[in-house]
């Protein structure tokens, strides 16, 4: 019974410019580790071949080192690796694939499916029908030729394609390359392994997206997995199991704070997140000065617990209570400054952010220097 590992969208060479340099480097390196994980999984599960449904690379112009590292990361599995060009690494006349071939970086057990022609693996019991992209975007269904393709009797028919299944994907994806939703049926395929959708998605019993093996977006779509596919014989329905391969979970968390107890609740929810995640936190609402300082102290610790922790507080207004102001001894001119900052933070843009930050800094300094004179306090806050 042939067994396959289905994966796609490795996106090797992807840049993470929105993150701090240290985090960006580690997230990029995790994509190489994902290949090593896939190789170990393929060996552990004793698969007959690894099907990589496009976008092995994120760009055409990559360094020699990046290309060598990619193929070296596959060393843990000595069986066949079948690599299909996608929209990010299309099989152009001059491409990352021709670059890899000139470098002699491609191992003997790695098959580059650069042309739309049947590949027969007689000893392993299957034939592959690939639909490689030869340009970034096409408007014709490159899997159409599958319907007319002949394969040897008694072998599984495995399709490999990269693009958008028509009428199935509601969200925007990387490519406009269309694939007929019923291609597995019209082409008599036993399994159609797809790439381009970065999450795990079942189209029908014989057609699936595996998703990227290492999550790189804030979407809860089943990314960070690979599929083990068993097909007992031609015509039998595939048996598919998903296996976790990713190191980091990407989590987007949004919350609105309205009362003091919301901060405690928020901290409890954030404490429950898996450690070493990539977290994007957005807070709205309002909080008093004491609560804001508690929140900032907590967020400092959270940043240390996770691979990346980005917080967006521009929608959070600081509303000092009468007790806050009284405790700060904010009478006279200091009280007027606090009042003006309170008004300015309710606006939009950089001025509101600056006012919010200034209000928090002023409050902290007043608390720490409560015995100094009012004039000294104001001067130190400028």
């Amino acid at each position: 019974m042939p067994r396959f590992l289905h994966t796609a969208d490795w996106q090797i060479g992807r840049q993470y410019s929105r993150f701090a340099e240290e985090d960006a480097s580690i997230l990029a390196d995790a994509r190489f580790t994902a290949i090593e994980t896939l190789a170990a999984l393929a060996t552990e599960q004793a698969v007959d071949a690894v099907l990589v449904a496009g976008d092995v690379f994120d760009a055409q112009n990559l360094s020699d080192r990046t290309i060598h590292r990619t193929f070296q990361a596959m060393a843990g599995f000595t069986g066949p690796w079948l690599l299909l060009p996608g929209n990010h690494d299309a099989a152009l006349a001059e491409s990352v694939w021709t670059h890899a071939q000139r470098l002699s970086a491609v191992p003997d057990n790695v098959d580059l499916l650069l042309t739309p022609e049947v590949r027969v693996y007689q000893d392993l019991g299957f034939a592959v029908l690939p639909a490689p992209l030869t340009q970034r975007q096409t408007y014709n269904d490159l899997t159409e030729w599958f319907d007319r393709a002949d394969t040897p009797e008694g072998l599984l028919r495995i399709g490999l394609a990269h693009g958008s299944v028509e009428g199935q994907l509601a969200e925007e994806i990387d490519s406009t390359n269309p694939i007929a939703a019923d291609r597995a049926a019209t082409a008599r395929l036993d399994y159609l392994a797809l790439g381009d959708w970065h999450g795990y998605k079942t189209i029908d019993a014989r057609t699936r997206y595996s998703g990227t093996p290492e999550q790189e977006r804030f979407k809860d779509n089943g990314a960070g997995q690979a599929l083990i596919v068993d097909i007992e014989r031609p015509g039998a329905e595939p048996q598919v199991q998903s296996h976790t391969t990713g190191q980091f979970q990407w989590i987007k968390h949004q919350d609105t704070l309205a009362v003091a107890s919301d901060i405690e609740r928020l901290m409890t929810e954030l404490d429950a997140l898996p450690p070493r995640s990539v977290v994007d936190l957005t807070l709205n609402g309002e909080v008093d000065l004491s609560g804001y300082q508690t929140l900032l102290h907590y967020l400092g610790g959270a940043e240390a617990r996770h691979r990346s922790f980005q917080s967006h507080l521009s929608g959070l207004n600081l509303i000092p209570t009468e007790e806050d102001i009284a405790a700060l001894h904010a009478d006279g001119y200091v009280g007027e400054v606090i009042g003006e900052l309170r008004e300015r933070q309710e606006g939009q843009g950089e001025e509101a952010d600056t006012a919010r930050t200034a209000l928090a800094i002023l409050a902290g300094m007043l608390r720490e220097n409560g015995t100094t004179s009012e004039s000294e306090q104001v001067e130190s806050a400028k």
Side-chain angles (χ1 to χ4, degrees):
M1 175 173 62
R3 166 174 278 195
F4 305 95
L5 189 155
H6 171 196
T7 179
D9 299 290
W10 294 356
Q11 313 293 146
I12 298 299
R14 185 178 181 89
Q15 301 298 307
Y16 295 88
S17 57
R18 64 176 293 181
F19 296 98
E21 183 176 351
E22 177 187 357
D23 293 336
S25 176
I26 290 174
L27 292 173
D29 205 61
R31 310 205 74 78
F32 293 102
T33 303
I35 303 175
E36 297 171 350
T37 300
L38 292 168
L41 178 62
T43 298
E44 174 192 319
Q45 295 291 320
V47 304
D48 293 288
V50 177
L51 310 174
V52 188
D55 280 1
V56 171
F57 300 101
D58 192 58
Q60 297 284 8
N61 299 318
L62 298 177
S63 68
D64 293 1
R65 181 175 183 270
T66 295
I67 292 173
H68 277 296
R69 283 191 68 190
T70 300
F71 289 104
Q72 289 170 5
M74 303 180 198
F77 176 66
T78 57
W81 295 78
L82 282 57
L83 274 55
L84 182 82
N87 59 308
H88 283 257
D89 54 8
L92 310 174
E94 180 61 34
S95 70
V96 66
W97 304 106
T98 56
H99 187 179
Q101 290 171 321
R102 282 197 301 273
L103 292 173
S104 299
V106 185
D108 292 340
N109 64 321
V110 175
D111 291 343
L112 306 183
L113 307 181
L114 305 182
T115 56
E117 57 184 337
V118 174
R119 300 292 187 96
V120 177
Y121 298 84
Q122 187 76 43
D123 294 344
L124 297 176
F126 66 92
V128 171
L129 289 68
L133 288 174
T134 56
Q135 59 191 59
R136 187 175 178 89
Q137 290 187 347
T138 63
Y139 297 94
N140 298 321
D141 186 346
L142 299 183
T143 67
E144 188 177 4
W145 75 273
F146 293 0
D147 293 358
R148 304 182 299 274
D150 294 325
T151 54
E153 189 74 23
L155 299 185
L156 297 177
R157 286 169 64 90
I158 304 298
L160 200 58
H162 189 90
S164 175
V165 174
E166 296 177 318
Q168 295 292 316
L169 303 182
E171 299 182 45
E172 181 182 357
I173 60 174
D174 287 339
S175 173
T176 58
N177 305 293
I179 299 171
D182 61 349
R183 182 61 66 207
T186 61
R188 308 174 309 285
L189 300 177
D190 293 291
Y191 186 74
L192 177 54
L194 297 177
D196 201 21
W197 178 249
H198 284 205
Y200 173 44
K201 188 173 183 64
T202 299
I203 302 301
D204 58 42
R206 300 183 184 279
T207 308
R208 285 177 170 82
Y209 287 94
S210 66
T212 178
E214 183 65 45
Q215 188 173 359
E216 45 26 321
R217 297 174 183 173
F218 291 106
K219 291 186 177 181
D220 185 14
N221 60 1
Q225 302 185 85
L227 307 181
I228 298 296
V229 183
D230 290 298
I231 310 175
E232 186 174 357
R233 63 184 182 281
E237 184 172 307
Q239 303 301 308
V240 181
Q241 293 182 333
S242 61
H243 291 258
T244 299
T245 54
Q247 288 186 66
F248 305 116
Q249 292 188 43
W250 289 50
I251 301 168
K252 181 180 285 291
H253 192 94
Q254 295 182 324
D255 206 338
T256 298
L257 306 181
V259 296
S261 60
D262 285 341
I263 296 178
E264 188 69 31
R265 172 188 54 76
L266 172 66
M267 293 190 297
T268 299
E269 292 173 358
L270 294 178
D271 284 342
L273 297 180
R276 301 183 72 245
S277 296
V278 179
V279 181
D280 186 90
L281 173 68
T282 300
L283 295 180
N284 296 299
E286 58 185 42
V287 63
D288 62 25
L289 293 177
S290 175
Y292 190 72
Q293 291 175 335
T294 298
L295 180 63
L296 291 182
H297 179 75
Y298 174 84
L299 294 179
E303 290 175 1
R305 291 195 298 274
H306 292 283
R307 177 65 273 153
S308 174
F309 193 103
Q310 296 182 324
S311 54
H312 310 284
L313 308 182
S314 61
L316 194 62
N317 286 328
L318 302 184
I319 309 296
T321 65
E322 296 302 325
E323 290 77 10
D324 285 330
I325 296 174
L328 296 175
H329 307 290
D331 54 354
Y333 181 60
V334 175
E336 293 177 7
V337 170
I338 290 178
E340 183 176 350
L341 291 175
R342 290 172 63 181
E343 292 180 4
R344 290 190 179 187
Q345 71 160 351
E346 295 176 0
Q348 298 292 328
E350 185 176 348
E351 181 179 354
D353 290 341
T354 301
R356 185 177 300 104
T357 301
L359 186 57
I361 293 173
L362 177 59
M365 296 178 70
L366 290 173
R367 286 180 184 276
E368 294 174 2
N369 301 288
T371 59
T372 61
S373 68
E374 179 181 293
S375 60
E376 291 173 331
Q377 292 170 347
V378 173
E379 186 65 29
S380 66
K382 289 182 179 177

